[in-house]
Amino acid sequence: MKVGIIGLGFRLAYLAYVFKAIDENFEIVGYVDPEPTGLPELVEKKISVGTSYASPQELTANEKLDLLMIGSPNHMHLDHIRIGLEAGLKVFCEKPIVTTIEDSIELARLMAKFGHERLMVGLVLRYSPMYRDLLAAQATGVLGNIVSIEASEHIYPYHGAFFMRDWRRYEKYSGSFMLEKCCHDLDLYNGIVGVRPERVASFGGRRSFIPANDPRNEGINDMTMFYSKPSGWQGSDKVFDSDGDIIDYQVAIVEYANGVGMNFHTNLNVPDQFRRFAIMGSRGMAEGDFIRGYLDIHEVLSGAKVVEKKYATRTALSQHYGADEQMAADLIAHVRTGKHLPVSTLNALEAGILALAMDEARLKRTIVDLRPVWDSFDEALHARAA
């Protein structure tokens, strides 16, 4: 399996290691990246990266690829996806797949032209054992009709500091923190509800990573924790005085087309992090936490706990609760045999549009009605191929 990479950062270097562990025939034959921050990791692991090319066009013209993997900064994804599709390749792109509503609609046009099966997306949590078990339980009817969802993703201060120092601190590159980090979670709950979100309200800002909270103000000079996760391209050493424009906390309320309500909360400065959900249905309730590794389901009528499962939060290969190696195995099978994947480009675009609507609502301090966006999106999605 011959693979080309555009954007050899930390994430794709790690995924290349996972893919190679799953399939020894996985071979990187070339890459494009003027500052390949993930290259030392692959050199250390003795994984060859092939030829360094000056442009994606040179890579696709000079190598016969089974798969093109895109890990470039988010704002570049659309152009790199287009290059891969126009070259006739199967393409894998890390999340978030694009960074604006306009680019979402343009990618929908590309899907209409080239089809959906040639583009895969790295929404890795869809592959996690817990989410698969949750979907299987929902399919039995134990939850009944979904009524409301409470969900969150909170991260350790060292991880929050990474976002304040990395290129992701600029919304012009990342799209936003909600899009960059939480699109995983929004995709999961979109999948549970089964219809699109329609109305969104949101509030948030930066209240933790600000100069007034710098520990050095109190004579605490050991800042090691805040630099323990290295930054890459456009990196900075500023944490509490970051020049970025991303938030460090946000809350949002969502109403779906079928009336289901969801509230979602994220925070970048949590000393005991968690990534949990409570899904309330007419017949039961599912509660789980990816970081703390449990899924419990209770019936309404009896009050009995009918599902109680524990999960490993890390495995030998996976940074995402056992999901990375499953994604690698499924993507390899999809490239070779056309195996159906649990997440699609359409899922990724819908989750991204929801995240972007949350940020629009936060910035404008208004309720965002997504129905006009979906109308334009569907028009593009179902357009005739040019």
Side-chain angles (χ1 to χ4, degrees):
M1 181 174 171
K2 297 187 181 301
V3 177
I5 290 178
I6 301 174
L8 186 53
F10 295 124
R11 175 62 180 167
L12 278 203
Y14 162 71
L15 281 183
Y17 164 70
V18 175
F19 273 67
K20 186 71 172 178
I22 296 296
D23 184 353
E24 63 180 12
N25 293 316
F26 178 89
E27 178 187 1
I28 303 170
V29 296
Y31 73 94
V32 179
D33 194 326
E35 299 180 35
T37 54
L39 183 57
E41 179 180 349
L42 293 179
V43 170
E44 181 183 345
K45 291 182 167 63
K46 297 182 172 53
I47 297 176
S48 173
V49 296
T51 304
S52 172
Y53 288 97
S55 71
Q57 291 86 348
E58 287 187 23
L59 170 64
T60 58
N62 286 280
E63 299 289 352
K64 187 175 181 179
L65 302 175
D66 298 304
L67 179 66
L68 178 67
M69 299 183 74
I70 297 172
S72 50
N74 304 341
H75 70 295
M76 301 178 182
H77 286 178
L78 180 62
D79 287 341
H80 292 159
I81 289 168
R82 182 185 288 110
I83 289 168
L85 293 177
E86 289 179 347
L89 299 173
K90 285 185 175 290
V91 179
F92 167 83
C93 183
E94 255 303 322
K95 59 78 194 168
I97 199 160
V98 289
T99 59
T100 66
I101 298 292
E102 293 75 18
D103 282 359
S104 300
I105 291 172
E106 178 59 25
L107 184 53
R109 292 192 185 100
L110 290 178
M111 294 299 95
K113 182 176 181 179
F114 292 104
H116 291 250
E117 290 303 309
R118 283 177 45 207
L119 178 58
M120 297 148 273
V121 62
L123 284 170
V124 68
L125 292 191
R126 285 263 189 161
Y127 297 85
S128 65
M130 183 188 299
Y131 189 68
R132 292 186 174 204
D133 288 345
L134 176 61
L135 288 180
Q138 182 185 18
T140 69
V142 67
L143 299 179
N145 296 319
I146 304 302
V147 176
S148 60
I149 298 174
E150 176 184 326
S152 58
E153 181 187 8
H154 303 312
I155 62 176
Y156 284 134
Y158 86 87
H159 204 172
F162 161 78
F163 279 98
M164 293 299 146
R165 294 166 30 245
D166 191 60
W167 59 261
R168 294 165 175 84
R169 70 189 184 274
Y170 299 125
E171 290 192 355
K172 66 182 179 181
Y173 297 145
S174 64
S176 72
F177 179 81
M178 185 65 76
L179 179 67
E180 159 65 27
K181 189 71 172 73
C182 302
C183 62
H184 281 305
D185 306 80
L186 301 181
D187 170 59
L188 298 186
Y189 307 123
N190 283 355
I192 289 293
V193 177
V195 300
R196 288 171 172 171
E198 280 201 347
R199 297 198 304 160
V200 181
S202 184
F203 305 92
R206 197 185 304 177
R207 294 175 59 85
S208 292
F209 290 100
I210 58 175
N213 293 332
D214 191 323
R216 289 169 292 194
N217 295 336
E218 301 175 20
I220 302 171
N221 294 314
D222 185 358
M223 299 286 283
T224 306
M225 174 180 69
F226 301 110
Y227 298 94
S228 59
K229 185 175 174 65
S231 59
W233 178 67
Q234 295 284 320
S236 167
D237 62 355
K238 296 181 180 295
V239 177
F240 291 91
D241 53 348
S242 171
D243 63 347
D245 53 10
I246 61 168
I247 55 85
D248 62 24
Y249 82 97
Q250 190 168 348
V251 295
I253 305 170
V254 181
E255 182 180 54
Y256 286 86
N258 59 1
V260 170
M262 178 174 76
N263 65 289
F264 187 82
H265 179 198
T266 187
N267 190 297
L268 283 67
N269 189 46
V270 177
D272 188 12
Q273 67 178 1
F274 55 93
R275 194 175 201 172
R276 68 187 180 204
F277 56 83
I279 299 168
M280 288 73 165
S282 58
R283 295 183 177 179
M285 167 185 166
E287 183 180 6
D289 190 319
F290 288 96
I291 289 174
R292 297 176 181 177
Y294 72 88
L295 173 64
D296 294 336
I297 298 179
H298 288 79
E299 288 182 335
V300 166
L301 293 179
S302 68
K305 183 185 290 188
V306 294
V307 172
E308 182 176 11
K309 291 192 173 185
K310 303 293 184 183
Y311 300 86
T313 56
R314 292 185 70 93
T315 64
L317 288 177
S318 181
Q319 296 176 344
H320 292 97
Y321 332 114
D324 291 293
E325 61 264 50
Q326 186 63 58
M327 182 178 75
D330 284 6
L331 285 172
I332 290 168
H334 177 78
V335 170
R336 288 179 170 160
T337 69
K339 177 182 177 177
H340 177 74
L341 298 175
V343 65
S344 68
T345 304
L346 179 59
N347 298 144
L349 287 168
E350 290 175 340
I353 287 171
L354 174 55
L356 291 164
M358 289 176 174
D359 285 299
E360 180 183 351
R362 173 178 60 85
L363 291 168
K364 294 181 177 179
R365 294 181 174 271
T366 189
I367 295 175
V368 172
D369 183 352
L370 277 171
R371 285 171 294 187
V373 174
W374 296 130
D375 289 344
S376 298
F377 180 79
D378 286 336
E379 183 179 356
L381 192 65
H382 301 298
R384 289 183 177 273

